Every structure is written in C-alpha cells, then in structure tokens.
C-alpha cells in the first residue's frame, strides 16, 4: 500500500504557528487548512500547496510531504 502524508501540522508546530495564521498568510480557508493538517483531504489543490510552501519558506517538496510505502 502507498500513501502520501502531508506534514503541514508538523511544520506549523516546529515554527510555533497556528492553522489560523497559516490561513491568513495564504488566503486559504481555515477549514481547508485544518483538513490538510489532519490529512483528511483526498485531493489538494496545487495552488494551495504552492501557497503553503511559500508561506512556510520551504525549498523542497520533501519538506511538505512524504510517500509512505508499506511492503506486504
């Protein structure tokens, strides 16, 4: 099984930021930020990923997400 995990909440915690402040910085609805942080979204808008990466000053996609591969 393969799954993608978004690490936004982890990044916010490391930076001492709230979901609300990220929503304000990015212009993304707070509810959408919450769903992304809790890995509840089945799809994420590319523009949202770009805005989040910019707001968190990321330089690599690996900082934002990772691929979890389970070997059966």
């Amino acid at each position: 099984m393969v799954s993608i995990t978004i690490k936004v909440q982890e990044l916010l915690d490391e930076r001492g930021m709230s979901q609300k402040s990220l929503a304000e910085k990015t212009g993304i609805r707070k509810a959408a930020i919450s769903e992304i942080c809790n890995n509840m979204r089945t799809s994420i808008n590319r523009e949202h990923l770009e805005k989040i990466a910019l707001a968190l000053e990321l330089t690599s996609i690996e900082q934002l997400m990772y691929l979890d591969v389970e070997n059966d």
Side-chain angles (χ1 to χ4, degrees):
M1 184 173 153
V2 175
S3 63
I4 295 173
T5 300
I6 307 296
K7 303 188 301 185
V8 175
Q9 187 60 56
E10 182 181 326
L11 294 166
L12 292 176
D13 292 344
E14 288 173 5
R15 288 163 171 77
M17 287 179 68
S18 67
Q19 291 180 14
K20 180 181 177 184
S21 66
L22 181 61
E24 290 168 354
K25 267 185 123 169
T26 60
I28 300 170
R29 292 180 312 108
K30 188 176 176 235
I33 294 291
S34 176
E35 290 171 354
I36 292 168
C37 286
N38 292 304
N39 282 290
M40 298 184 70
R41 289 247 164 142
T42 56
S43 64
I44 300 177
N45 183 311
R46 178 180 169 164
E47 184 179 335
H48 286 181
L49 292 177
E50 291 169 351
K51 287 180 177 182
I52 291 168
L54 182 63
L56 297 177
E57 300 178 356
L58 304 180
T59 57
S60 171
I61 194 70
E62 288 84 13
Q63 294 174 287
L64 184 59
M65 64 180 69
Y66 67 90
L67 186 65
D68 188 17
V69 180
E70 290 183 24
N71 296 321
D72 292 336

